[in-house]
Amino acid sequence: MTLTYVISGFAVGLLVGLTGVGGGSLMTPLLTLLFGVSPTVAVGTDLAFASTTKAAGTIAHRHRGTVHWDIVRHLCFGALPAAVLATIALKYFGALDKHIGQVIRYSIAFSVLLTVVALLFRGRMQEWVLKHPEKQLQGTKLTVATIVVGAVLGTLVTVSSIGAGAIGATILVLLYPRLSPAEIAGTDIAYAVPLTAIAAFGHWWLGSIDWMLLAALLLGSLPGITIGSLAAKAVPEKILRGLLATTLTGVAAKMVF
């Protein structure tokens, strides 16, 4: 089974490298549906997985100068307290309870569907915002909106491990439409590091991280991400995103029904 986990980590890493979509939308459903890992353990393990891989990505983006630290700071103002409160709520209501596990399962399905929307319509939404500058937030309103978005994503990520990737990047595109794709990616990855780290620590406190599973996934994902990133330019993006959106829609339906 360990070899299977390594191969799965490689496959997810490869897709993340090719598409840029966060591993949570792929890894958590994979662990839950294919390997029968309980939703709480799947979420906790994936958060620890994400915090490790995103830290490496942040270092690369920092060297390239593609991280807007003021936006990262505002996102963290909302996301980090929300992650702590969500963890306490899971502890209070019973993170390992069967009914809570079902709630988490539905949360994962909802988050996956949001990822599909983000994949399919991000470009169109960005075009609309750029054509209607009067709709763009400025100054204090933009700061407040960024903090609120951080809080929503912090809660979503802590409960389902999904949201910091495609969903977070799409919202950043809408709030800051003039940022380049590299700046969106760098900023999104940078704020996700402390968020996933705190959420992962919370799940460690809840006892919902499988460390052997985590090690096997990381062993496969690191070369997978590298190969996927190198091959990304050779594969048409629209085909990849369409295939991924179709797959994720099926995953969400399977988790609900």
Side-chain angles (χ1 to χ4, degrees), residues 62-85:
R62 182 174 180 273
H63 283 301
R64 294 173 61 191
T66 51
V67 178
H68 282 257
W69 294 105
D70 55 332
I71 301 176
V72 171
R73 184 171 64 253
H74 293 149
L75 286 169
C76 287
F77 282 160
L80 303 190
V84 173
L85 291 175

PDB file of all heavy atoms in Angstrom, residues 62-85:
ATOM      1  N   ARG A  62       9.394  33.933  -4.061  1.00  0.00           N
ATOM      2  CA  ARG A  62      10.032  35.054  -3.364  1.00  0.00           C
ATOM      3  C   ARG A  62      11.282  35.500  -4.109  1.00  0.00           C
ATOM      4  O   ARG A  62      11.538  36.705  -4.267  1.00  0.00           O
ATOM      5  CB  ARG A  62      10.386  34.641  -1.933  1.00  0.00           C
ATOM      6  CG  ARG A  62      11.006  35.765  -1.101  1.00  0.00           C
ATOM      7  CD  ARG A  62      11.191  35.306   0.341  1.00  0.00           C
ATOM      8  NE  ARG A  62      11.780  36.348   1.143  1.00  0.00           N
ATOM      9  CZ  ARG A  62      13.081  36.567   1.282  1.00  0.00           C
ATOM     10  NH1 ARG A  62      13.946  35.782   0.627  1.00  0.00           N
ATOM     11  NH2 ARG A  62      13.541  37.541   2.046  1.00  0.00           N
ATOM     12  N   HIS A  63      12.052  34.546  -4.591  1.00  0.00           N
ATOM     13  CA  HIS A  63      13.258  34.877  -5.346  1.00  0.00           C
ATOM     14  C   HIS A  63      12.915  35.556  -6.671  1.00  0.00           C
ATOM     15  O   HIS A  63      13.684  36.378  -7.172  1.00  0.00           O
ATOM     16  CB  HIS A  63      14.084  33.615  -5.609  1.00  0.00           C
ATOM     17  CG  HIS A  63      14.855  33.143  -4.413  1.00  0.00           C
ATOM     18  ND1 HIS A  63      15.788  33.938  -3.773  1.00  0.00           N
ATOM     19  CD2 HIS A  63      14.827  31.976  -3.723  1.00  0.00           C
ATOM     20  CE1 HIS A  63      16.308  33.274  -2.754  1.00  0.00           C
ATOM     21  NE2 HIS A  63      15.742  32.082  -2.696  1.00  0.00           N
ATOM     22  N   ARG A  64      11.755  35.226  -7.234  1.00  0.00           N
ATOM     23  CA  ARG A  64      11.332  35.830  -8.496  1.00  0.00           C
ATOM     24  C   ARG A  64      10.649  37.174  -8.291  1.00  0.00           C
ATOM     25  O   ARG A  64      10.345  37.876  -9.254  1.00  0.00           O
ATOM     26  CB  ARG A  64      10.368  34.878  -9.221  1.00  0.00           C
ATOM     27  CG  ARG A  64      11.009  33.572  -9.689  1.00  0.00           C
ATOM     28  CD  ARG A  64       9.957  32.627 -10.242  1.00  0.00           C
ATOM     29  NE  ARG A  64       9.263  33.204 -11.394  1.00  0.00           N
ATOM     30  CZ  ARG A  64       8.162  32.674 -11.934  1.00  0.00           C
ATOM     31  NH1 ARG A  64       7.636  31.575 -11.420  1.00  0.00           N
ATOM     32  NH2 ARG A  64       7.603  33.244 -12.969  1.00  0.00           N
ATOM     33  N   GLY A  65      10.374  37.531  -7.040  1.00  0.00           N
ATOM     34  CA  GLY A  65       9.717  38.799  -6.747  1.00  0.00           C
ATOM     35  C   GLY A  65       8.252  38.824  -7.126  1.00  0.00           C
ATOM     36  O   GLY A  65       7.709  39.892  -7.450  1.00  0.00           O
ATOM     37  N   THR A  66       7.581  37.677  -7.082  1.00  0.00           N
ATOM     38  CA  THR A  66       6.188  37.600  -7.513  1.00  0.00           C
ATOM     39  C   THR A  66       5.219  37.408  -6.343  1.00  0.00           C
ATOM     40  O   THR A  66       4.126  36.866  -6.510  1.00  0.00           O
ATOM     41  CB  THR A  66       6.002  36.448  -8.521  1.00  0.00           C
ATOM     42  OG1 THR A  66       6.554  35.235  -7.979  1.00  0.00           O
ATOM     43  CG2 THR A  66       6.672  36.772  -9.839  1.00  0.00           C
ATOM     44  N   VAL A  67       5.620  37.854  -5.156  1.00  0.00           N
ATOM     45  CA  VAL A  67       4.740  37.789  -3.986  1.00  0.00           C
ATOM     46  C   VAL A  67       4.419  39.211  -3.527  1.00  0.00           C
ATOM     47  O   VAL A  67       5.328  40.007  -3.288  1.00  0.00           O
ATOM     48  CB  VAL A  67       5.386  37.002  -2.827  1.00  0.00           C
ATOM     49  CG1 VAL A  67       4.456  37.002  -1.614  1.00  0.00           C
ATOM     50  CG2 VAL A  67       5.710  35.575  -3.244  1.00  0.00           C
ATOM     51  N   HIS A  68       3.134  39.543  -3.408  1.00  0.00           N
ATOM     52  CA  HIS A  68       2.708  40.835  -2.864  1.00  0.00           C
ATOM     53  C   HIS A  68       2.448  40.636  -1.370  1.00  0.00           C
ATOM     54  O   HIS A  68       1.377  40.180  -0.969  1.00  0.00           O
ATOM     55  CB  HIS A  68       1.456  41.337  -3.582  1.00  0.00           C
ATOM     56  CG  HIS A  68       1.740  41.922  -4.930  1.00  0.00           C
ATOM     57  ND1 HIS A  68       1.765  43.281  -5.169  1.00  0.00           N
ATOM     58  CD2 HIS A  68       2.042  41.334  -6.110  1.00  0.00           C
ATOM     59  CE1 HIS A  68       2.049  43.511  -6.442  1.00  0.00           C
ATOM     60  NE2 HIS A  68       2.231  42.343  -7.039  1.00  0.00           N
ATOM     61  N   TRP A  69       3.407  41.021  -0.555  1.00  0.00           N
ATOM     62  CA  TRP A  69       3.348  40.714   0.870  1.00  0.00           C
ATOM     63  C   TRP A  69       2.262  41.483   1.601  1.00  0.00           C
ATOM     64  O   TRP A  69       1.765  41.028   2.632  1.00  0.00           O
ATOM     65  CB  TRP A  69       4.714  40.956   1.511  1.00  0.00           C
ATOM     66  CG  TRP A  69       5.751  40.003   0.993  1.00  0.00           C
ATOM     67  CD1 TRP A  69       6.754  40.257   0.120  1.00  0.00           C
ATOM     68  CD2 TRP A  69       5.854  38.601   1.296  1.00  0.00           C
ATOM     69  NE1 TRP A  69       7.478  39.124  -0.146  1.00  0.00           N
ATOM     70  CE2 TRP A  69       6.965  38.088   0.556  1.00  0.00           C
ATOM     71  CE3 TRP A  69       5.122  37.724   2.108  1.00  0.00           C
ATOM     72  CZ2 TRP A  69       7.340  36.754   0.624  1.00  0.00           C
ATOM     73  CZ3 TRP A  69       5.504  36.389   2.169  1.00  0.00           C
ATOM     74  CH2 TRP A  69       6.602  35.920   1.439  1.00  0.00           C
ATOM     75  N   ASP A  70       1.865  42.656   1.096  1.00  0.00           N
ATOM     76  CA  ASP A  70       0.773  43.386   1.733  1.00  0.00           C
ATOM     77  C   ASP A  70      -0.544  42.623   1.584  1.00  0.00           C
ATOM     78  O   ASP A  70      -1.348  42.559   2.535  1.00  0.00           O
ATOM     79  CB  ASP A  70       0.647  44.799   1.144  1.00  0.00           C
ATOM     80  CG  ASP A  70       0.495  44.795  -0.371  1.00  0.00           C
ATOM     81  OD1 ASP A  70       0.995  43.850  -1.026  1.00  0.00           O
ATOM     82  OD2 ASP A  70      -0.125  45.732  -0.905  1.00  0.00           O
ATOM     83  N   ILE A  71      -0.764  42.015   0.421  1.00  0.00           N
ATOM     84  CA  ILE A  71      -1.971  41.209   0.219  1.00  0.00           C
ATOM     85  C   ILE A  71      -1.904  39.943   1.075  1.00  0.00           C
ATOM     86  O   ILE A  71      -2.910  39.533   1.679  1.00  0.00           O
ATOM     87  CB  ILE A  71      -2.138  40.845  -1.274  1.00  0.00           C
ATOM     88  CG1 ILE A  71      -2.239  42.116  -2.126  1.00  0.00           C
ATOM     89  CG2 ILE A  71      -3.373  39.966  -1.467  1.00  0.00           C
ATOM     90  CD1 ILE A  71      -2.300  41.848  -3.627  1.00  0.00           C
ATOM     91  N   VAL A  72      -0.731  39.337   1.132  1.00  0.00           N
ATOM     92  CA  VAL A  72      -0.542  38.151   1.977  1.00  0.00           C
ATOM     93  C   VAL A  72      -0.890  38.476   3.424  1.00  0.00           C
ATOM     94  O   VAL A  72      -1.583  37.709   4.112  1.00  0.00           O
ATOM     95  CB  VAL A  72       0.911  37.637   1.883  1.00  0.00           C
ATOM     96  CG1 VAL A  72       1.174  36.546   2.926  1.00  0.00           C
ATOM     97  CG2 VAL A  72       1.202  37.106   0.486  1.00  0.00           C
ATOM     98  N   ARG A  73      -0.432  39.636   3.890  1.00  0.00           N
ATOM     99  CA  ARG A  73      -0.685  40.041   5.276  1.00  0.00           C
ATOM    100  C   ARG A  73      -2.182  40.199   5.552  1.00  0.00           C
ATOM    101  O   ARG A  73      -2.694  39.712   6.561  1.00  0.00           O
ATOM    102  CB  ARG A  73       0.043  41.356   5.570  1.00  0.00           C
ATOM    103  CG  ARG A  73      -0.076  41.822   7.021  1.00  0.00           C
ATOM    104  CD  ARG A  73       0.832  42.989   7.313  1.00  0.00           C
ATOM    105  NE  ARG A  73       0.467  44.177   6.525  1.00  0.00           N
ATOM    106  CZ  ARG A  73       1.175  44.628   5.492  1.00  0.00           C
ATOM    107  NH1 ARG A  73       2.276  43.986   5.111  1.00  0.00           N
ATOM    108  NH2 ARG A  73       0.790  45.703   4.840  1.00  0.00           N
ATOM    109  N   HIS A  74      -2.892  40.854   4.636  1.00  0.00           N
ATOM    110  CA  HIS A  74      -4.324  41.057   4.829  1.00  0.00           C
ATOM    111  C   HIS A  74      -5.097  39.731   4.781  1.00  0.00           C
ATOM    112  O   HIS A  74      -6.035  39.521   5.563  1.00  0.00           O
ATOM    113  CB  HIS A  74      -4.866  42.012   3.759  1.00  0.00           C
ATOM    114  CG  HIS A  74      -4.329  43.402   3.894  1.00  0.00           C
ATOM    115  ND1 HIS A  74      -4.126  44.238   2.813  1.00  0.00           N
ATOM    116  CD2 HIS A  74      -3.946  44.104   4.981  1.00  0.00           C
ATOM    117  CE1 HIS A  74      -3.643  45.395   3.226  1.00  0.00           C
ATOM    118  NE2 HIS A  74      -3.511  45.334   4.534  1.00  0.00           N
ATOM    119  N   LEU A  75      -4.719  38.840   3.877  1.00  0.00           N
ATOM    120  CA  LEU A  75      -5.349  37.525   3.830  1.00  0.00           C
ATOM    121  C   LEU A  75      -5.128  36.761   5.136  1.00  0.00           C
ATOM    122  O   LEU A  75      -6.051  36.122   5.668  1.00  0.00           O
ATOM    123  CB  LEU A  75      -4.808  36.713   2.654  1.00  0.00           C
ATOM    124  CG  LEU A  75      -5.288  37.111   1.252  1.00  0.00           C
ATOM    125  CD1 LEU A  75      -4.455  36.409   0.187  1.00  0.00           C
ATOM    126  CD2 LEU A  75      -6.765  36.780   1.064  1.00  0.00           C
ATOM    127  N   CYS A  76      -3.918  36.849   5.660  1.00  0.00           N
ATOM    128  CA  CYS A  76      -3.595  36.138   6.902  1.00  0.00           C
ATOM    129  C   CYS A  76      -4.338  36.711   8.102  1.00  0.00           C
ATOM    130  O   CYS A  76      -4.682  35.975   9.036  1.00  0.00           O
ATOM    131  CB  CYS A  76      -2.089  36.166   7.145  1.00  0.00           C
ATOM    132  SG  CYS A  76      -1.149  35.079   6.045  1.00  0.00           S
ATOM    133  N   PHE A  77      -4.590  38.024   8.102  1.00  0.00           N
ATOM    134  CA  PHE A  77      -5.357  38.638   9.180  1.00  0.00           C
ATOM    135  C   PHE A  77      -6.719  37.965   9.328  1.00  0.00           C
ATOM    136  O   PHE A  77      -7.235  37.830  10.442  1.00  0.00           O
ATOM    137  CB  PHE A  77      -5.567  40.141   8.910  1.00  0.00           C
ATOM    138  CG  PHE A  77      -4.367  40.991   9.215  1.00  0.00           C
ATOM    139  CD1 PHE A  77      -4.246  42.256   8.661  1.00  0.00           C
ATOM    140  CD2 PHE A  77      -3.352  40.535  10.044  1.00  0.00           C
ATOM    141  CE1 PHE A  77      -3.129  43.049   8.926  1.00  0.00           C
ATOM    142  CE2 PHE A  77      -2.236  41.311  10.307  1.00  0.00           C
ATOM    143  CZ  PHE A  77      -2.124  42.570   9.746  1.00  0.00           C
ATOM    144  N   GLY A  78      -7.309  37.549   8.203  1.00  0.00           N
ATOM    145  CA  GLY A  78      -8.588  36.854   8.264  1.00  0.00           C
ATOM    146  C   GLY A  78      -8.458  35.356   8.368  1.00  0.00           C
ATOM    147  O   GLY A  78      -9.175  34.708   9.133  1.00  0.00           O
ATOM    148  N   ALA A  79      -7.494  34.782   7.633  1.00  0.00           N
ATOM    149  CA  ALA A  79      -7.409  33.327   7.516  1.00  0.00           C
ATOM    150  C   ALA A  79      -6.902  32.637   8.778  1.00  0.00           C
ATOM    151  O   ALA A  79      -7.442  31.595   9.185  1.00  0.00           O
ATOM    152  CB  ALA A  79      -6.507  32.962   6.333  1.00  0.00           C
ATOM    153  N   LEU A  80      -5.880  33.193   9.411  1.00  0.00           N
ATOM    154  CA  LEU A  80      -5.267  32.489  10.539  1.00  0.00           C
ATOM    155  C   LEU A  80      -6.184  32.399  11.762  1.00  0.00           C
ATOM    156  O   LEU A  80      -6.335  31.310  12.341  1.00  0.00           O
ATOM    157  CB  LEU A  80      -3.927  33.144  10.896  1.00  0.00           C
ATOM    158  CG  LEU A  80      -2.904  33.210   9.743  1.00  0.00           C
ATOM    159  CD1 LEU A  80      -1.540  33.657  10.263  1.00  0.00           C
ATOM    160  CD2 LEU A  80      -2.793  31.877   9.018  1.00  0.00           C
ATOM    161  N   PRO A  81      -6.836  33.510  12.193  1.00  0.00           N
ATOM    162  CA  PRO A  81      -7.799  33.370  13.298  1.00  0.00           C
ATOM    163  C   PRO A  81      -8.950  32.437  12.943  1.00  0.00           C
ATOM    164  O   PRO A  81      -9.421  31.669  13.786  1.00  0.00           O
ATOM    165  CB  PRO A  81      -8.300  34.806  13.519  1.00  0.00           C
ATOM    166  CG  PRO A  81      -7.251  35.683  12.960  1.00  0.00           C
ATOM    167  CD  PRO A  81      -6.675  34.925  11.797  1.00  0.00           C
ATOM    168  N   ALA A  82      -9.400  32.485  11.683  1.00  0.00           N
ATOM    169  CA  ALA A  82     -10.496  31.609  11.256  1.00  0.00           C
ATOM    170  C   ALA A  82     -10.085  30.142  11.344  1.00  0.00           C
ATOM    171  O   ALA A  82     -10.883  29.284  11.734  1.00  0.00           O
ATOM    172  CB  ALA A  82     -10.923  31.955   9.826  1.00  0.00           C
ATOM    173  N   ALA A  83      -8.832  29.847  10.974  1.00  0.00           N
ATOM    174  CA  ALA A  83      -8.339  28.469  11.050  1.00  0.00           C
ATOM    175  C   ALA A  83      -8.312  27.978  12.493  1.00  0.00           C
ATOM    176  O   ALA A  83      -8.682  26.830  12.782  1.00  0.00           O
ATOM    177  CB  ALA A  83      -6.941  28.381  10.436  1.00  0.00           C
ATOM    178  N   VAL A  84      -7.877  28.846  13.410  1.00  0.00           N
ATOM    179  CA  VAL A  84      -7.844  28.480  14.831  1.00  0.00           C
ATOM    180  C   VAL A  84      -9.255  28.233  15.354  1.00  0.00           C
ATOM    181  O   VAL A  84      -9.519  27.226  16.035  1.00  0.00           O
ATOM    182  CB  VAL A  84      -7.150  29.587  15.655  1.00  0.00           C
ATOM    183  CG1 VAL A  84      -7.274  29.291  17.146  1.00  0.00           C
ATOM    184  CG2 VAL A  84      -5.684  29.711  15.263  1.00  0.00           C
ATOM    185  N   LEU A  85     -10.184  29.135  15.028  1.00  0.00           N
ATOM    186  CA  LEU A  85     -11.565  28.981  15.494  1.00  0.00           C
ATOM    187  C   LEU A  85     -12.222  27.735  14.904  1.00  0.00           C
ATOM    188  O   LEU A  85     -12.972  27.028  15.595  1.00  0.00           O
ATOM    189  CB  LEU A  85     -12.373  30.230  15.126  1.00  0.00           C
ATOM    190  CG  LEU A  85     -12.003  31.515  15.879  1.00  0.00           C
ATOM    191  CD1 LEU A  85     -12.791  32.700  15.329  1.00  0.00           C
ATOM    192  CD2 LEU A  85     -12.253  31.353  17.376  1.00  0.00           C
TER     193      LEU A  85
END
